[in-house]
Amino acid sequence: MKRFVFATNNPHKLEEVKAIIGTKIEILSLKDIGCHADIPETADTLEENALQKAKFIYEKYQCDCFADDTGLEVEALGGAPGVYSARYAGDAHNSEANMRKLMHELEGTDNRRARFRTVFALILNGKEHLFEGIANGHIATVRRGTAGFGYDPIFIPDGYTLSFAEMGNELKNKISHRAIGVQKLCKFLHTL
Ligand code: IMP
């Protein structure tokens, strides 16, 4: 059976990816391979960050692996917070503070278009492959819903009136940026 390490410590992401990839390909977590390192993600683009994480694992463990990076890109802010989404309001990964800052930046702005963009970087036999998933939508004027994480309460995907945090994981995981990116990665892995 083909085997890949997914360079993440996030159990939600791991389950989401395993559910889409199915049982014909084995996915190992960082924990499964005994990796407890704080993997650097210091680049300025999602692509480079995802590659940096995958390369770190490849070089240390010499195994086929993939990693992802996600950002919320807001049109009126020139694509910010983008690659800096996790630390938009400071260093603490504080979703409440991040949303507050974003709502503040958009006060009085009519253009609230935004998109979540995920990049998966795969290293297979030493060769790099990138897969992108995008969810287009807009930023709400008030927070809505309690499911999900990060910016979910203020992101309304196109074609829906519910925020990601109101729709719950089952629907979100069918239409999200990450789901689209994983589906592309999965399609590629099943052609091997
Ligand atoms: P990461 O690449 O998954 O670490 O994502 C970076 C940051 O983007 C996270 O800390 C969240 O703030 C935000 N983010 C990523 N994916 C999502 C999502 O599906 N919903 C809401 N926020 C997200």
Side-chain angles (χ1 to χ4, degrees), residues 13 68-70 85-86 93 116 149-152 172 177-178:
K13 281 191 191 176
D68 74 321
D69 200 27
T70 298
S85 294
H93 281 256
F116 273 113
F149 69 101
Y151 297 87
D152 279 349
K172 181 192 165 191
H177 41 295
R178 210 162 14 257

Side-chain angles (χ1 to χ4, degrees), residues 32-146:
D32 292 331
I33 60 167
C35 176
H36 303 288
D38 194 11
I39 304 178
E41 37 182 320
T42 53
D44 294 329
T45 65
L46 298 175
E47 285 78 3
E48 285 170 300
N49 255 353
L51 270 173
Q52 188 181 27
K53 289 188 266 187
K55 275 185 192 160
F56 180 93
I57 296 302
Y58 184 76
E59 280 159 18
K60 204 162 173 193
Y61 297 90
Q62 255 79 60
C63 56
D64 294 328
C65 60
F66 60 88
D68 74 321
D69 200 27
T70 298
L72 176 62
E73 300 176 339
V74 179
E75 204 171 271
L77 302 178
V83 71
Y84 308 109
S85 294
R87 294 175 176 81
Y88 190 42
D91 249 351
H93 281 256
N94 182 335
S95 296
E96 264 309 307
N98 287 341
M99 284 191 284
R100 209 177 312 124
K101 178 168 178 189
L102 183 57
M103 307 283 266
H104 179 70
E105 295 289 333
L106 287 180
E107 257 167 34
T109 312
D110 289 334
N111 179 7
R112 303 183 75 91
R113 298 287 310 153
R115 65 181 194 174
F116 273 113
R117 195 164 75 86
T118 292
V119 174
F120 277 87
L122 167 73
I123 303 189
L124 175 66
N125 300 323
K127 196 163 174 260
E128 297 166 6
H129 305 263
L130 294 177
F131 305 88
E132 182 188 61
I134 290 176
N136 288 302
H138 69 274
I139 303 299
T141 48
V142 288
R143 291 176 183 67
R144 291 202 325 235
T146 52

